[in-house]
Amino acid sequence: MRMQWDAFLAAVQERGEYPSRREADRAARVVLALLGAHLVGNERAELAAGLPETCALVLLNPLPAAEPLGPERFVRATAAWIEGATEETAQWDVGAVLSVVADTAGDSLMRRILLQLPPGYDLLFGRPGMSEPGLPPEA
């Protein structure tokens, strides 16, 4: 079942400790646009199907990434897209949004998503060790 936009934003706002929904909305849109540029195929479509329609549209219609960004560069790119952000605040934004995305996706889909991304994204999603080789797909 698709998560509702208000519930998604409320979760991001709570995790990010944002004083307003507007800040949670801004972080969610930037992070999801950057994530969408790095995911392809069934995993991106399956993730979008479980997210609110607003999130799905952002995730499914990104500008294509010129090259895959490692986790540190992903955070720096987030900082560049959010007015007044620093790398430290962008790290917070990324963690707030991607941890809610991971909860929505579930472990099986998250493992497949992490296979598409450079090493280290498991930490951004708040799932340390999930992308380690040798773990069974449904562990």
Side-chain angles (χ1 to χ4, degrees):
M1 178 176 210
R2 185 181 288 262
M3 182 181 232
Q4 295 300 308
W5 177 240
D6 286 339
F8 183 86
L9 272 187
V12 170
Q13 183 177 3
E14 180 181 323
R15 296 221 182 134
E17 299 177 7
Y18 300 111
S20 71
R21 288 277 169 103
R22 184 177 176 175
E23 291 178 69
D25 180 283
R26 176 197 64 194
R29 289 176 190 270
V30 169
V31 172
L32 288 170
L34 286 169
L35 179 63
H38 290 81
L39 297 179
V40 296
N42 292 336
E43 286 74 23
R44 185 169 69 180
E46 194 175 326
L47 179 60
L51 293 173
E53 187 174 344
T54 302
C55 296
L57 291 172
V58 172
L59 187 73
L60 292 172
N61 295 303
L63 294 173
E67 62 180 298
L69 298 178
E72 297 83 13
R73 289 184 60 210
F74 187 91
V75 170
R76 282 196 298 271
T78 300
W81 280 95
I82 297 177
E83 185 178 336
T86 64
E87 285 187 35
E88 291 77 25
T89 62
Q91 179 80 39
W92 189 263
D93 294 331
V94 168
V97 175
L98 293 185
S99 66
V100 174
V101 168
D103 288 350
T104 303
D107 287 351
S108 177
L109 177 56
M110 278 309 307
R111 281 188 181 84
R112 291 184 284 135
I113 287 170
L114 289 169
L115 287 173
Q116 288 191 22
L117 299 169
Y121 271 82
D122 54 337
L123 298 174
L124 295 182
F125 281 95
R127 301 295 191 273
M130 182 174 266
S131 62
E132 291 179 18
L135 284 179
E138 298 294 328

